[in-house]
Amino acid sequence: LRASEFAMRVYRQTMVIPRGRTATYTQIAAAIGSPQAVRAVGAALGANPLPLIVPCHRVIGSNGKLIGFAGGLHLKRLLLEMEQES
């Protein structure tokens, strides 16, 4: 996995979100020590080259809505539903 140091921090934090749970872009930004970098977190996740390893579908908007998934929101919803069922 090749990415900037910032993106690597985002990816590492995203990988600790438990299966069936979600975190917000704001929570990820705060957890990596860059609370103002919410959009940059979204950009890093949008460039995620390994979505099966870095589960970016688990990151949602601070209002609880599904936003920003390269595979489409229908796929993001499906992945989250599948994790809830298992």
Side-chain angles (χ1 to χ4, degrees):
L1 182 61
R2 292 185 184 183
S4 69
E5 178 54 38
F6 178 84
M8 290 301 293
R9 291 188 350 242
V10 171
Y11 297 160
R12 282 191 291 270
Q13 188 62 40
T14 302
M15 289 189 302
V16 301
I17 303 169
R19 180 180 174 88
R21 305 285 304 271
T22 59
T24 66
Y25 293 93
T26 301
Q27 289 171 326
I28 298 290
I32 64 169
S34 299
Q36 301 301 317
V38 176
R39 288 181 186 250
V41 167
L45 291 174
N48 175 10
L50 298 172
L52 294 176
I53 306 298
V54 180
C56 53
H57 65 279
R58 295 179 187 158
V59 184
I60 62 173
S62 59
N63 60 2
K65 293 189 178 190
L66 303 184
I67 57 173
F69 189 64
L73 296 183
H74 64 284
L75 181 56
K76 187 172 192 169
R77 181 176 292 108
L78 177 65
L79 290 168
L80 290 171
E81 287 172 357
M82 287 172 51
E83 287 186 356
Q84 290 293 323
E85 292 171 1
S86 58

